[in-house]
Amino acid sequence: MKTMEELDQLKPFQARSIIEELRKGSVPAEYVPFFTVGRDNWLTFIQDDLANYIAEGGAKVRFLSGDYGDGKTHFMSVIQHLALQEGFGVSFVVLTREIPIHKFEAVYQAITQQLHGRFEGIGIRNLLRQWLDTLAEKEEPSLAQLADMAETLRNLPGMNINFANALTALAHNRFVPLEEGEEQEERDAAQEIIFHWFEGGKVTKRELKPFGIFEVVNKSNSKQLLNSLNVFLRHFGHKGLILLLDELETVIAQSASMRNAAYENVRLLIDNSEHAEYFHIFFSIIPDVLLSEKGFKSYDALWSRVRSIGQKKKLNYRGVLIDLHRTPLTTKELIKLGRCLRRIHEISYRWEAEDSVPDKLLEDVCTNQEKMGLLSEVRLFIKQLISILDMAEQGETPTEDLDLAQHVVSSQQEMDQEKVEQLQPSWDK
Amino acid sequence: MDTESFLQENQENLNNILRPFQKELNRGQRLADFLKQCVRCLGRDDFLQLEELLSSKIAQNVEEEEVLGECKPLFQTLREYAGEQVEKYRFEFIEDLSRLAEEAELPLEIDFPRFTVLKGIEGEIDFSKRTTSINKKVLKSIDPRRIVTAALRWKKQLYDGPFDPQAFVDSLYATYKKINQQEDAAPGHPVGIQQFYLEYVISLQSKAFFINMDKSKFRGYSLEQFGVDLWRYFEAGIGGTSNGMMLQLRPGRNNSLWLIDSDGERRQITGISFQEKAI
């Protein structure tokens, strides 16, 4: 993604942020282009889809499959960067117990809070604020102009009436002068109610009535409101909406009734994509979601729609499944990644790493991982490498003292422990 | 007291003395055998088996035995050693497992931590927990020798018996027809798979079994076997029953069984039916 020359432009603080996140095993989403290697085929086809299909009115659902540590979250962050570059609105949501896919209204809330696009900051509030600022760019709109705008919004194909009325109410709240006896605080409170409604928050119907909003966000209308958000994004100069929903595999650990409700929602989203526009959803899953009895196979209405995925011997880079597990980074690519990380580490701590952590050592780390059948675990490689770089920077010469075999085993044990902790209910942590 | 009573009473008295003594001897023998096994493992540096032995219940019993008190610190040292060696063994594990499977002519495909042998035989290795599951049965070991042995057992059980796809599908049709007639259902009407499976297992029993329902005369037919046999029938490509009926499996969620469909995919099946071949 970025060349070594561009990498050299990183400031020490930025480089350090990257290293700190990676050391924890997290993905510094903002900086992924600085340490992205390989996966070129997948990315080429995704970019092509975004530019020539989704941006032209297409819609699609794809599943990103990989084991723990294969780089799913990192890959999704790369898609996020691509989509933002292409001019889409993007929301990256991690599905958890608190944001489960079977409660789409909760997912909608998270989508609005994590929204990125051609506006400053994150979240739907910032999008709406920027839209209001744009309306007043030349001069503040008159009542007649506001009425025209309201009509335009209501007539946008696919726009929900409540969503359009909420946008109109926001514009009125901002541009119509205060009436006699009306206080600015009242205006601010009203604006807060409307923002809160856009975010899918709890608002009473009585509070919403003055703005012509007659529904709160709920299970039955959340998908429609999501569609309206996409319509509004396009109206405001975006190419469409890209949703990145990470960790769908959390569904597997839930009860059968919750699983079925979750799978029904996934199915509905797939079916919806047949007549949706300018819309792309990516779900990340672990292979168990495709293989186990608690996965998609347990919900035939869903499985029949995705069953071709993961079953073919040959990879289809345009297919429904982006199979990272079957397309792991090669040793060569891992070494390239190692060089990037080495350079970022050098910038962070202002030192020279190449002598004490040469390419040969990067190769040895890969060889050991391959022997363990874990070459695809990019996270393990990164974790090991950062620990080696840390030690080298502190004066220990890894090439002489390091038992690489022991090192990879310790890193793997650490990661196993992390997996166990990840699977524990939050109240046990 | 007559002689017979005298002898009987004393026999009983001696037995009462012998029983706990013998029980204690047996217990001691078990502990001794266990220690011998550990000694053998050390002689061969078989850290895989040593680790399994030292994490067993019987190892705890040895540690609690007053006479064997010296074992406790020794076991602790050996546990650390074996654990360390097993962790290092991760580097050779896949290679060894592949080699042993090849030697045993077992068609093993590894996508670590998962592996498959043939349709209907799937496993997963949890190295950190030291367990391997094959078809959901948990083997408390990651010893490739034991994994291969267990997988071979599954293969033998599910694949090595005689199988005639034509006779198999004809027997399925006979059961289907019987249920359909009992329920006065139209030809081609789907039958619930659970009901069908039960009826089919009953159809496999000999007359001798029904005389007194003797457990030893019961001929088992596992769900795994049913799934594999269905797959082998589909794979044979014989096209249907002798009288031209085509088998159809209906996927679904309720009252289902996990079987293998015509694509070789494990799938939830709710119903089975036979349709006339379309001309």
Side-chain angles (χ1 to χ4, degrees):
Chain A
M1 295 280 278
K2 297 267 184 192
T3 60
M4 275 292 180
E5 289 72 33
E6 286 170 302
L7 209 63
D8 288 338
Q9 303 309 306
L10 272 175
K11 293 183 172 65
F13 172 75
Q14 293 173 311
R16 203 154 170 160
S17 304
I18 296 172
I19 296 294
E20 290 292 343
E21 285 295 311
L22 292 175
R23 190 182 285 121
K24 284 188 294 188
S26 316
V27 177
E30 204 183 330
Y31 297 106
V32 285
F34 287 99
F35 55 96
T36 296
V37 297
R39 321 275 201 210
D40 298 344
N41 258 353
W42 292 118
L43 292 169
T44 304
F45 284 92
I46 288 168
Q47 196 156 15
D48 176 60
D49 264 346
L50 291 175
N52 301 312
Y53 180 59
I54 308 298
E56 298 296 324
K60 206 166 178 175
V61 175
R62 294 187 86 180
F63 296 90
L64 179 66
S65 171
D67 256 323
Y68 292 110
D70 279 357
K72 298 187 294 295
T73 304
H74 173 273
F75 192 83
M76 278 197 154
S77 302
V78 176
I79 297 173
Q80 184 176 25
H81 276 264
L82 286 178
L84 286 169
Q85 270 173 15
E86 290 289 336
F88 286 91
V90 186
S91 204
F92 187 137
V93 172
V94 181
L95 299 168
T96 60
R97 286 164 192 269
E98 290 72 34
I99 309 167
I101 191 74
H102 72 273
K103 287 186 181 168
F104 199 78
E105 63 277 26
V107 178
Y108 173 81
Q109 279 178 18
I111 289 168
T112 61
Q113 282 158 15
Q114 294 301 323
L115 191 67
H116 289 70
R118 293 180 157 175
F119 55 91
E120 286 296 311
I122 305 169
I124 197 165
R125 272 178 197 239
N126 288 311
L127 167 74
L128 294 166
R129 281 199 180 106
Q130 190 141 328
W131 170 67
L132 291 170
D133 291 346
T134 314
L135 290 179
E137 232 162 23
K138 288 171 188 156
E139 56 178 327
E140 292 209 345
S142 64
L143 280 174
Q145 284 171 318
L146 286 174
D148 284 348
M149 182 204 73
E151 193 60 26
T152 307
L153 288 170
R154 273 195 291 269
N155 290 330
L156 289 172
M159 176 60 84
N160 171 285
I161 185 72
N162 294 290
F163 203 98
N165 287 351
L167 289 168
T168 306
L170 257 190
H172 274 262
N173 177 287
R174 166 90 175 255
F175 299 117
V176 174
L178 289 173
E179 287 174 24
E180 205 173 322
E182 191 184 9
E183 297 287 335
Q184 186 57 43
E185 285 80 10
E186 290 172 52
R187 277 286 169 100
D188 294 345
Q191 186 193 55
E192 184 55 35
I193 288 167
I194 303 166
F195 276 146
H196 204 52
W197 179 83
F198 273 114
E199 288 168 339
K202 282 194 165 58
V203 195
T204 63
K205 284 191 176 179
R206 208 182 62 182
E207 285 173 309
L208 293 169
K209 207 175 169 184
F211 311 117
I213 305 169
F214 303 103
E215 283 181 357
V216 287
V217 177
N218 57 39
K219 198 186 276 280
S220 57
N221 65 14
S222 50
K223 290 189 188 74
Q224 204 186 2
L225 292 173
L226 181 68
N227 191 40
S228 299
L229 171 61
N230 189 5
V231 171
F232 173 66
L233 278 165
R234 289 206 317 279
H235 175 71
F236 189 47
H238 291 75
K239 296 241 178 95
L241 177 62
I242 309 299
L243 292 187
L244 300 154
L245 304 180
D246 202 3
E247 296 184 21
L248 180 63
E249 65 269 15
T250 47
V251 171
I252 288 182
Q254 290 171 328
S255 69
S257 60
M258 280 183 188
R259 267 202 317 271
N260 290 338
Y263 292 153
E264 177 61 7
N265 263 342
V266 175
R267 182 190 73 81
L268 286 170
L269 287 164
I270 292 173
D271 287 1
N272 180 46
S273 72
E274 284 165 20
H275 38 84
E277 292 179 313
Y278 308 95
F279 190 46
H280 201 331
I281 305 183
F282 293 89
F283 284 102
S284 87
I285 54 176
I286 58 172
D288 266 7
V289 174
L290 302 174
L291 299 170
S292 86
E293 292 180 3
K294 288 180 178 177
F296 288 172
K297 286 182 179 184
S298 67
Y299 199 80
D300 210 74
L302 172 60
W303 184 240
S304 60
R305 285 161 175 77
V306 298
R307 68 176 306 193
S308 62
I309 67 179
Q311 298 299 316
K312 295 206 170 63
K313 285 273 178 277
K314 283 198 170 174
L315 282 167
N316 175 6
Y317 287 94
R318 289 201 193 278
V320 180
L321 185 74
I322 299 164
D323 198 337
L324 297 188
H325 191 65
R326 282 178 64 201
T327 50
L329 293 187
T330 60
T331 301
K332 207 169 150 185
E333 285 164 339
L334 277 174
I335 291 166
K336 193 177 168 191
L337 171 65
R339 287 194 199 114
C340 286
L341 294 176
R342 189 174 60 197
R343 184 68 198 115
I344 294 169
H345 201 279
E346 283 178 336
I347 296 167
S348 331
Y349 303 107
R350 297 179 178 85
W351 71 300
E352 295 290 326
E354 207 163 333
D355 288 344
S356 44
V357 185
D359 286 7
K360 173 72 176 69
L361 185 61
L362 304 180
E363 258 172 73
D364 293 344
V365 172
C366 290
T367 307
N368 279 328
Q369 248 186 256
E370 193 166 16
K371 278 184 188 167
M372 288 169 77
L374 300 171
L375 192 64
S376 65
E377 282 205 27
V378 187
R379 191 188 297 159
L380 177 63
F381 175 79
I382 290 172
K383 233 181 154 66
Q384 282 190 86
L385 184 59
I386 288 186
S387 142
I388 291 167
L389 284 160
D390 283 348
M391 290 185 329
E393 189 265 333
Q394 289 161 49
E396 285 188 42
T397 317
T399 41
E400 286 169 19
D401 316 325
L402 187 69
D403 177 355
L404 265 182
Q406 186 53 49
H407 195 265
V408 68
V409 164
S410 311
S411 303
Q412 174 61 22
Q413 282 174 322
E414 236 177 81
M415 282 183 61
D416 280 344
Q417 190 52 42
E418 281 169 19
K419 271 183 219 174
V420 170
E421 282 166 10
Q422 216 176 31
L423 295 170
Q424 282 172 349
S426 52
W427 56 84
D428 288 349
K429 284 180 186 172
Chain B
M1 188 187 278
D2 60 5
T3 309
E4 197 181 335
S5 302
F6 168 81
L7 291 172
Q8 205 173 346
E9 191 181 322
N10 282 296
Q11 186 186 16
E12 208 169 303
N13 289 342
L14 274 178
N15 257 334
N16 287 341
I17 296 164
L18 170 66
R19 215 174 288 121
F21 181 70
Q22 184 67 60
K23 195 177 168 186
E24 194 54 28
L25 268 182
N26 291 348
R27 203 179 64 83
Q29 189 59 53
R30 266 204 312 276
L31 299 183
D33 289 344
F34 172 81
L35 284 171
K36 283 178 192 167
Q37 268 186 298
C38 292
V39 170
R40 264 201 303 275
C41 285
L42 288 168
R44 295 195 305 253
D45 192 15
D46 187 347
F47 47 82
L48 284 166
Q49 203 191 342
L50 182 66
E51 196 195 39
E52 280 175 38
L53 288 171
L54 294 176
S55 56
S56 65
K57 180 82 180 75
I58 196 162
Q60 269 182 24
N61 296 342
V62 168
E63 286 174 315
E64 286 159 9
E65 194 71 19
E66 213 173 315
V67 192
L68 302 170
E70 285 173 53
C71 286
K72 200 171 183 166
L74 265 178
F75 276 12
Q76 208 39 51
T77 308
L78 291 174
R79 275 191 193 107
E80 278 169 31
Y81 166 79
E84 221 170 274
Q85 292 305 305
V86 171
E87 282 302 334
K88 281 183 182 167
Y89 181 67
R90 281 180 181 231
F91 294 104
E92 287 127 63
F93 171 76
I94 293 174
E95 207 178 307
D96 276 4
L97 182 59
S98 305
R99 182 179 47 79
L100 287 168
E102 203 176 321
E103 283 168 12
E105 293 178 350
L106 189 72
L108 185 79
E109 282 182 30
I110 305 170
D111 175 17
F112 191 79
R114 286 170 285 271
F115 64 87
T116 53
V117 178
L118 289 161
K119 290 284 181 205
I121 307 175
E122 294 159 359
E124 192 162 344
I125 295 148
D126 190 333
F127 211 98
S128 52
K129 283 188 188 161
R130 309 286 195 260
T131 59
T132 304
S133 66
I134 304 180
N135 283 7
K136 292 187 188 160
K137 301 260 187 311
V138 178
L139 177 72
K140 286 185 178 170
S141 172
I142 45 151
D143 187 336
R145 293 163 298 191
R146 290 188 63 189
I147 294 171
V148 168
T149 304
L152 274 170
R153 207 177 302 124
W154 274 105
K155 179 179 170 280
K156 192 176 170 194
Q157 185 188 319
L158 297 177
Y159 278 90
D160 290 359
F163 180 74
D164 175 358
Q166 192 62 67
F168 171 70
V169 73
D170 286 347
S171 67
L172 292 184
Y173 180 64
T175 302
Y176 169 79
K177 201 172 157 186
K178 184 184 164 194
I179 297 171
N180 244 11
Q181 281 168 350
Q182 280 169 353
E183 295 184 351
D184 200 18
H189 185 269
V191 168
I193 195 73
Q194 293 184 354
Q195 177 195 2
F196 178 87
Y197 173 63
L198 185 68
E199 198 67 49
Y200 185 66
V201 173
I202 289 169
S203 78
L204 297 175
Q205 306 312 315
S206 62
K207 285 195 176 78
F209 169 75
F210 291 107
I211 292 166
N212 57 0
M213 296 278 183
D214 182 1
K215 206 169 140 184
S216 64
K217 292 195 177 77
F218 179 75
R219 186 187 160 193
Y221 186 68
S222 69
L223 209 48
E224 285 97 350
Q225 190 67 66
F226 187 30
V228 165
D229 287 351
L230 279 168
W231 165 240
R232 290 198 288 183
Y233 153 72
F234 286 125
E235 212 186 13
I238 57 170
T241 64
S242 306
N243 57 350
M245 303 300 280
M246 297 297 288
L247 167 67
Q248 276 197 344
L249 297 176
R250 289 167 186 259
R253 244 188 7 254
N254 300 320
N255 305 320
S256 60
L257 296 177
W258 282 93
L259 299 169
I260 301 176
D261 72 4
S262 53
D263 294 328
E265 196 180 89
R266 276 182 62 71
R267 204 150 179 211
Q268 267 182 303
I269 303 296
T270 52
I272 181 169
S273 67
F274 281 86
Q275 314 279 346
E276 283 200 38
K277 227 182 265 188
I279 298 162

